[in-house]
Amino acid sequence: MRRAGALGSPLRAERGRELHRINEQHLAHYREHGYAIIEGFLTEDELTGALDEWREILPGWVEYCQDPSAPKPDNAQRPGRPINFHRFRFPFAGSHLNAITLHPELVAFAKLMAGGSEMFCEQSHLTFKCKGNPNDHEQAMHCDYGNHTLAYPPDDPAYWQTAYLLYYTDVTEDLAPTAVCSRRHYPEKILVPAHYTREQRPAIYDHEVKVVVPAGSLFIYSMRTFHRGTAFRTEGGRLGHFITYAPAAWKWLGIVGWSAEAIKPSHRRWIEKATPEERELLGFPPPGHPYWTDETRAGVGARYPGMDMVPYRDGVNPS
């Protein structure tokens, strides 16, 4: 098992703007492997301000994560999925977490990956867990597109979503590091299914990299990147922040919309049975849209095997 390290020279974005924290080496690594890691992305002031707001939102957690000998927070057994609780979602009560959500380097990098498209922030929510918490378990390797798009994420800048996970506390090998696998080890074009157990596909587990980083570091990945959460090996906690950007033009992208429902089996069956016009009312790309290519028809057809793909092949509604 390998460990990721920090990657050096500013990255020039559109209009000559330089990204000083995300550099050319990070970009090259992201394009080759499907992810990048920036140690110390946040400044000391940004990190301090964010932690102060964490203390207001979730009392006791900062202290426990920084010193596991401190008392475990009273709500350490709080169920997972903080995205469902408004207090842990953008906009936040203070200013620091909101400023980090809309950080110009995060926006500029996402825009660069999307070929200069205008962006919208489709996700910003806090994540927290500790040993023994309901979130403390070994996840299966997966891609995140299941609840970030109603359709399928093609390898095309026009539809590229960039995901970020910021760590507000140190992450060691024992403190549930995120594991990620380079795209070199899943070269197939159509990434369906989006989940694999170790028994189903041991190679992507054998080649995983653990994101072991100091507080204030950033993990960048995409909807086509296999990754997973791991379990705690010792007492301790971890505070993080999921932020995702997507091209603003497409209504079928975004975790805060209908995409979050499409991951449920019963809802997938409804999407399969709906007419193209009904799907379009939810933001699904209509027949004849430039989105539809051999790749996207194959990806959507694999994700929704019961869907009639003829309208999307012929480019016309059947009615």
Side-chain angles (χ1 to χ4, degrees):
M1 188 175 299
R2 298 171 295 149
R3 174 179 166 177
L7 296 167
S9 104
L11 174 65
R12 188 169 295 277
E14 64 169 4
R15 298 173 187 162
R17 179 179 177 185
E18 287 187 345
L19 304 183
H20 293 278
R21 306 186 198 184
I22 304 174
N23 58 46
E24 293 284 359
Q25 284 83 351
H26 298 129
L27 175 62
H29 195 276
Y30 181 86
R31 285 183 163 153
E32 180 178 356
H33 299 282
Y35 72 92
I37 298 160
I38 297 89
E39 293 190 7
F41 175 81
L42 295 180
T43 66
E44 191 171 325
D45 287 345
E46 287 169 338
L47 180 60
T48 298
L51 288 174
D52 286 344
E53 292 182 4
W54 268 99
R55 290 184 175 92
E56 294 294 321
I57 294 170
L58 209 61
W61 275 79
V62 171
E63 290 73 19
Y64 177 70
C65 291
Q66 292 179 337
D67 179 10
S69 67
K72 192 172 262 191
D74 292 338
N75 58 355
Q77 292 301 314
R78 186 184 185 105
R81 304 300 294 167
I83 191 173
N84 296 327
F85 301 99
H86 290 288
R87 193 156 49 108
F88 307 117
R89 285 168 33 186
F90 179 89
F92 303 100
S95 60
H96 294 281
L97 292 171
N98 290 334
I100 290 170
T101 294
L102 305 175
H103 197 289
E105 294 220 11
L106 302 186
V107 178
F109 183 84
K111 192 168 185 175
L112 180 67
M113 292 309 302
S117 298
E118 292 303 316
M119 293 285 104
F120 82 101
C121 183
E122 56 133 309
Q123 177 186 30
S124 174
H125 77 262
L126 304 179
T127 176
F128 51 92
K129 58 183 178 179
C130 63
K131 186 170 177 58
N133 177 271
N135 288 342
D136 179 23
H137 62 273
E138 296 283 338
Q139 288 185 334
M141 273 288 185
H142 63 278
C143 294
D144 275 356
Y145 70 77
N147 57 357
H148 282 262
T149 176
L150 272 171
Y152 175 81
D155 195 2
D156 182 338
Y159 308 101
W160 198 265
Q161 295 162 274
T162 299
Y164 304 100
L165 176 52
L166 264 164
Y167 302 96
Y168 291 107
T169 51
D170 294 341
V171 184
T172 69
E173 288 274 358
D174 294 329
L175 295 178
T178 308
V180 59
C181 182
S182 168
R183 62 190 297 176
R184 289 178 173 179
H185 302 290
Y186 42 97
E188 67 271 22
K189 193 172 185 67
I190 303 303
L191 301 173
V192 178
H195 291 73
Y196 288 102
T197 64
R198 187 181 295 272
E199 292 71 28
Q200 290 171 325
R201 199 159 182 180
I204 58 175
Y205 288 82
D206 293 343
H207 292 96
E208 69 182 18
V209 167
K210 297 291 183 65
V211 184
V212 175
V213 290
S217 297
L218 178 70
F219 171 49
I220 310 177
Y221 63 104
S222 81
M223 296 300 114
R224 298 174 60 89
T225 305
F226 276 100
H227 64 288
R228 69 187 185 95
T230 67
F232 285 87
R233 297 179 183 173
T234 188
E235 288 295 332
R238 204 195 76 185
L239 304 178
H241 189 174
F242 286 107
I243 302 168
T244 308
Y245 277 88
W250 318 125
K251 296 179 182 178
W252 59 88
L253 302 179
I255 198 171
V256 295
W258 292 113
S259 302
E261 302 299 319
I263 199 171
K264 301 174 184 176
S266 60
H267 293 202
R268 286 203 304 270
R269 287 191 290 273
W270 185 88
I271 291 173
E272 289 175 339
K273 295 176 182 177
T275 66
E277 293 93 338
E278 288 171 331
R279 295 186 196 112
E280 191 176 348
L281 290 172
L282 300 179
F284 205 82
H289 191 281
Y291 169 82
W292 294 110
T293 64
D294 289 344
E295 179 192 3
T296 55
R297 280 189 294 270
V300 171
R303 181 178 181 184
Y304 301 109
M307 183 184 291
D308 178 9
M309 298 303 297
V310 171
Y312 304 103
R313 182 197 67 198
D314 296 345
V316 295
N317 280 315
S319 58

